[in-house]
């Protein structure tokens, strides 16, 4: 049978990404951008060239766990696939973790790092998972300033040398507590002045890491997250044997199939407290906020890959007498995906900018509270968007989108994890409530949206600017009134509220970028994206009805 359909193709993913390039031109001084562009071009070429080839060749391969050697010794060795071995080397060489710690470009170092991650992620089959945890571990160790641990681990976690770079796990999940981490049962026992951990960790991603940050309850401590302590664990001893760790099996997951996620038991595992013997949940929070930022960047990157494939396909696929790209209904469908991507990008990279400014010591006024709020907003909003965009992209391809050897189903499978791990949409919505109840973050966000939309001058942006401002005002009014009249309803509306905040902020950032792009690039594409995103709707509070929810779920 002759080959008859031209498959979708990808060019240099940096050169072809108008959104990324235009954003970098807006936020970076020209000399910084000039300096960083070669590294981004190289990553864009790698992601559409050798790494993509390897990803295709690797499609059917998965990591394996060998528990015993031929002579009856328990070894619990995990073999990674070639793609992941190469991804590890690329990540070290290109400084995907190191860049923000080297801080060569001050406040722009995080933007540089995550622009590289944005290009790398979709061709790496989620090698970004161990990298996210590694970055989170370095940040957490530095935040707590335990000198011995910092000196031992941080240079390894932030190394650019593939042979010596360490990755870190983030072992939080137990059988009793996925979201409710305070229910963790692992015990920390003191033996001869040193701690040893005993317990079962139920969902430990990237189980090949050299170290992990984990939570355990020192014997005698009280319940909940306050009674847990944050511990540093090295997974192997100097001879390479596992440190009291037994790997039971690798999870059979819907996606992230290259990522070895293990169920494991700790039995006498040596551990060092990172920051005292209590308040473990609070002490691991710096890690959560970093990995949630990686999660959002990865969601944005998956969307970009999906849309890049869908747009190229539209030019190659002929149906009903012409290329799909010329069919108005197809055009509408893909335009909506592009708009979701552009809004998600602006929201997420705003969080990245704030993080970079915080680390450069340049975050003033209420911006620290804003960073704390925007991080869960970006994570919860983009995770859902990525799944929707991936699903629609598969449909764009028709039957080909449902066929494994096109490589397309991976987009959907790997996106589906993004709203789940690192806090589900609901857990993050509750985190948003916690933030606005304990800080000035909400007024700061309101002021930001008002400033971004207020600066718009072009008539083509007036409607989306108005929609963003109205939605965020309405969300603020909703929470104020509900707190006064029916506080019990606030939790029921948390997701609608948080999503409305996230989408309004995303739209106002997109409108702001669109005005800049009209002024400086003479380009109306971002303005079109803003109008399209606004039409898709940013206010999610309308479909909230607790009475109906009870009727639908709790009644027989
Ligand atoms: C591609 C990218 C890849 C990303 C990598 C993926 C790797 C996958 C590995 C995993 O999935 S690891 C598991 C991830 N698990 C979670 O994300 C847990 C989700 N659950 C929550 O986030 C809950 O909200 C939480 C566990 C934090 C609730 O626990 P508690 O014990 O009820 O905490 P509480 O009392 O609300 O907060 C305790 C303290 O921590 C408070 O401070 P104070 O003690 O001063 O009052 C909180 O303000 C603080 N806190 C909580 N979350 C925080 C935070 N502080 C800063 N940032 C946060 N995010």
């Amino acid at each position: 049978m002759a080959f008859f359909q031209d498959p979708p193709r990808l060019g240099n993913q940096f050169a072809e990404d108008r959104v990324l390039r235009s954003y970098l031109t807006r936020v970076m001084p020209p000399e910084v951008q000039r300096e960083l562009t070669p590294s981004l071009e190289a990553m864009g070429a790698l992601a559409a060239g050798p790494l993509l080839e390897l990803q295709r060749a690797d499609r059917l391969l998965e990591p394996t766990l060998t528990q015993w050697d031929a002579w009856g010794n328990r070894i619990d060795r995990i073999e990674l696939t070639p793609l992941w071995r190469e991804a590890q080397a690329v990540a070290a060489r290109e400084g995907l973790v190191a860049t923000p710690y080297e801080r060569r470009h001050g406040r722009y170092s995080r933007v540089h790092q995550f622009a590289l991650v944005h290009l790398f992620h979709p061709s790496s089959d989620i090698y970004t998972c161990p990298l996210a945890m590694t970055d989170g571990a370095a940040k957490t160790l530095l935040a707590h300033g335990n000198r011995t641990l910092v000196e031992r681990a941080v240079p390894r976690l932030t190394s650019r040398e593939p042979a010596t770079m360490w990755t870190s796990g983030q072992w939080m999940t137990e059988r009793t507590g996925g979201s409710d981490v305070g229910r963790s049962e692992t015990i920390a026992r003191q033996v001869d002045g040193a701690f040893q951990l005993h317990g079962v960790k139920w969902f430990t991603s990237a189980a090949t890491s050299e170290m992990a940050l984990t939570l355990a309850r020192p014997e005698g401590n009280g319940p909940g997250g306050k009674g847990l302590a944050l511990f540093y664990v090295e997974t192997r001893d100097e001879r390479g044997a596992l440190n009291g760790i037994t790997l039971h099996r690798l999870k059979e997951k819907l996606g992230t199939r290259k990522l070895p996620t293990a169920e494991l038991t700790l039995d006498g595992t040596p551990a060092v407290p990172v920051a005292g013997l209590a308040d473990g949940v609070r002490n691991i929070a710096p890690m959560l906020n970093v990995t949630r930022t990686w999660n959002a960047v990865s969601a944005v990157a998956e969307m970009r890959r999906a849309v890049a494939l869908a747009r190229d396909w539209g030019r190659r696929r002929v149906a009903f007498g012409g290329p799909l790209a010329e069919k108005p209904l197809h055009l509408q469908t893909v335009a909506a995906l592009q708009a979701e991507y552009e809004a998600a990008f602006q929201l997420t990279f705003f969080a990245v900018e704030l993080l970079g400014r915080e680390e450069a010591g340049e975050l003033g006024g209420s911006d620290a509270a804003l960073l704390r709020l925007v991080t869960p907003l970006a994570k919860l909003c983009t995770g859902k968007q990525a799944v929707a965009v991936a699903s629609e992209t598969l449909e764009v391809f028709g039957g080909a989108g449902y066929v494994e050897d096109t490589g397309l189903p991976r987009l959907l499978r790997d996106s589906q994890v993004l709203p789940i791990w690192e806090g589900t949409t609901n857990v993050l919505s509750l985190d948003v409530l916690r933030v606005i109840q304990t800080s000035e973050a909400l007024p700061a966000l309101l002021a930001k949206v008002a400033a971004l939309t207020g600066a718009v001058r072009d008539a083509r942006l007036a409607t989306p600017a108005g929609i963003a401002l109205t939605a965020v005002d309405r969300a603020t009014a909703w929470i104020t009134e509900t707190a006064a009249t029916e506080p019990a309803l606030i939790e029921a509306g948390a997701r609608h509220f948080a999503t409305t905040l996230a989408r309004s902020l995303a739209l106002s950032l997109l409108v702001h970028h669109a005005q800049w792009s009209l002024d400086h690039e003479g380009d109306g594409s971002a303005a079109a994206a803003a109008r399209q995103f606004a039409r898709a709707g940013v206010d999610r509070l309308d479909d909230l009805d607790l009475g109906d929810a009870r009727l639908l779920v709790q009644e027989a």
Side-chain angles (χ1 to χ4, degrees):
M1 190 168 61
F3 176 74
F4 68 91
Q5 176 60 54
D6 207 12
R9 299 212 163 94
L10 297 172
N12 184 308
Q13 287 302 283
F14 176 64
E16 290 186 352
D17 191 345
R18 166 184 57 79
V19 177
L20 172 62
R21 292 166 64 95
S22 171
Y23 165 80
L24 294 176
T25 308
R26 174 169 65 79
V27 300
M28 283 182 166
E31 63 282 7
V32 176
Q33 198 190 4
R34 260 196 308 278
E35 221 176 299
L36 300 186
T37 296
S39 67
L40 296 166
E41 271 168 355
M43 186 60 90
L46 191 66
L51 205 56
L52 183 64
E53 285 309 310
L54 190 52
Q55 183 183 34
R56 287 182 180 139
D58 210 73
R59 187 177 63 79
L60 293 173
L61 306 178
E62 297 199 348
T64 54
L65 168 63
T66 304
Q67 289 171 309
W68 305 95
D69 74 6
W71 311 104
N73 300 301
R74 187 81 195 226
I75 52 170
D76 290 353
R77 197 180 54 236
I78 295 173
E79 287 294 331
L80 299 174
T81 73
L83 173 66
W84 261 48
R85 293 203 294 272
E86 178 59 18
Q88 192 268 338
V90 170
R93 275 199 309 267
E94 303 301 322
L96 294 187
V97 175
T99 298
Y101 297 92
E102 295 164 348
R103 215 162 294 153
R104 289 198 189 126
H105 297 95
R107 65 194 296 186
Y108 304 109
S109 302
R110 278 286 177 189
V111 174
H112 182 210
Q113 172 199 25
F114 281 118
L116 288 168
V117 170
H118 175 70
L119 297 167
F120 168 83
H121 167 85
S123 299
S124 78
D125 280 8
I126 313 245
Y127 191 73
T128 33
C129 170
L131 296 179
M133 298 189 293
T134 302
D135 189 350
K139 173 110 181 164
T140 306
L141 291 174
L142 286 167
H144 293 302
N146 180 326
R147 256 185 77 185
T148 314
L149 295 183
V150 167
E151 281 170 13
R152 174 146 177 88
V154 174
R156 292 172 163 92
L157 297 171
T158 59
S159 164
R160 281 181 180 258
E161 180 48 59
T164 54
M165 181 187 168
W166 279 9
T167 59
S168 174
Q170 171 192 358
W171 296 352
M172 289 180 72
T173 305
E174 301 200 5
R175 290 171 295 194
T176 43
S179 296
D180 188 0
V181 175
R183 296 183 67 212
S184 297
E185 292 177 324
T186 296
I187 291 294
R189 188 166 294 150
Q190 230 170 339
V191 181
D192 300 331
F195 280 94
Q196 294 182 350
L197 307 188
H198 298 265
V200 175
K201 297 288 174 182
W202 184 242
F203 214 101
T204 52
S205 293
T208 44
S209 292
E210 286 79 4
M211 62 157 280
L213 293 186
T214 191
L215 297 173
R217 199 174 308 281
E219 277 184 318
N221 271 21
K226 282 196 178 308
L228 294 169
L230 176 60
F231 285 95
Y232 165 92
V233 163
E234 287 186 14
T235 51
R236 291 182 183 272
D237 64 19
E238 49 298 336
R239 291 171 298 112
L242 281 166
N243 268 328
I245 299 169
T246 311
L247 302 182
H248 300 298
R249 64 170 182 143
L250 299 184
K251 296 278 193 194
E252 270 199 56
K253 294 165 295 173
L254 171 69
T256 68
R257 302 283 300 196
K258 309 292 151 150
L259 165 63
T261 303
E263 292 166 17
L264 57 86
T265 293
L266 306 174
D267 188 12
T269 305
V272 182
V274 175
L277 291 179
D279 289 318
V281 168
R282 191 206 302 153
N283 288 334
I284 204 169
M287 184 161 203
L288 293 179
N289 293 330
V290 168
T291 49
R292 286 170 186 175
T293 307
W294 277 78
N295 202 95
V297 172
S298 302
V300 168
E302 287 289 348
M303 283 186 247
R304 160 65 195 154
R305 174 59 56 87
V307 177
L309 290 166
R311 290 177 64 168
D312 187 72
W313 173 247
R315 291 188 278 270
R316 293 177 197 279
R317 178 68 173 169
V318 173
F320 303 112
L324 279 182
E326 290 170 12
K327 308 285 172 193
L329 182 53
H330 173 84
L331 213 60
Q332 283 296 325
T333 308
V334 180
L337 304 184
Q338 174 74 23
E340 290 296 319
Y341 161 55
E342 297 203 23
F345 182 98
Q346 298 297 337
L347 176 64
T348 298
F349 274 81
F350 177 57
V352 168
E353 272 173 63
L354 291 174
L355 180 60
R357 281 175 44 206
E358 181 208 49
E359 291 173 344
E362 295 174 16
L363 203 59
S366 54
D367 280 352
L370 197 55
L371 169 61
R372 174 70 182 88
L373 176 58
V374 174
T375 305
L377 288 181
K379 196 284 187 187
L380 72 87
C381 183
T382 58
K384 291 304 233 194
Q385 286 176 292
V387 178
V389 167
S391 172
E392 191 69 71
T393 299
L394 264 54
E395 192 174 335
V396 160
F397 280 87
Y402 204 63
V403 166
E404 290 290 356
D405 56 0
T406 62
L408 294 162
R410 185 205 65 78
L411 287 170
L412 184 57
R413 279 201 300 268
D414 283 357
S415 293
Q416 183 61 67
V417 81
L418 298 168
I420 296 175
W421 65 9
E422 291 307 326
T424 62
T425 310
N426 283 358
V427 166
L428 288 169
S429 301
L430 297 175
D431 186 48
V432 166
L433 290 186
R434 173 175 31 219
V435 177
I436 64 163
Q437 283 158 358
T438 54
S439 75
E440 287 305 297
L442 188 55
L445 184 133
L446 261 175
K448 187 75 196 170
V449 172
L452 291 167
T453 54
V456 159
R457 285 167 283 101
D458 196 289
R460 287 167 288 180
L461 290 166
T463 304
I467 288 174
L469 193 57
T470 308
V472 84
D473 277 343
R474 186 154 171 258
T476 311
W478 175 83
I479 197 120
T480 312
E481 279 160 29
T482 314
T485 55
E486 254 186 301
L489 260 188
I490 289 183
E491 184 175 325
R495 183 198 278 227
H496 298 71
F497 171 72
T499 306
T500 304
L501 290 188
R503 290 183 71 89
S504 322
L505 178 60
L507 178 56
S508 66
L509 289 160
L510 184 51
V511 159
H512 170 71
H513 183 78
Q515 180 69 63
W516 177 88
S517 184
L518 285 167
D519 292 345
H520 294 87
E521 301 174 319
D523 187 351
S525 311
R531 291 191 297 272
Q532 171 62 46
F533 186 72
R535 282 193 295 272
V538 295
D539 188 340
R540 293 289 189 259
L541 281 160
D542 276 337
D543 61 346
L544 173 67
D545 189 314
L546 189 56
D548 277 358
R550 283 207 183 100
L551 271 176
L552 287 165
V553 180
Q554 291 181 343
E555 303 299 314

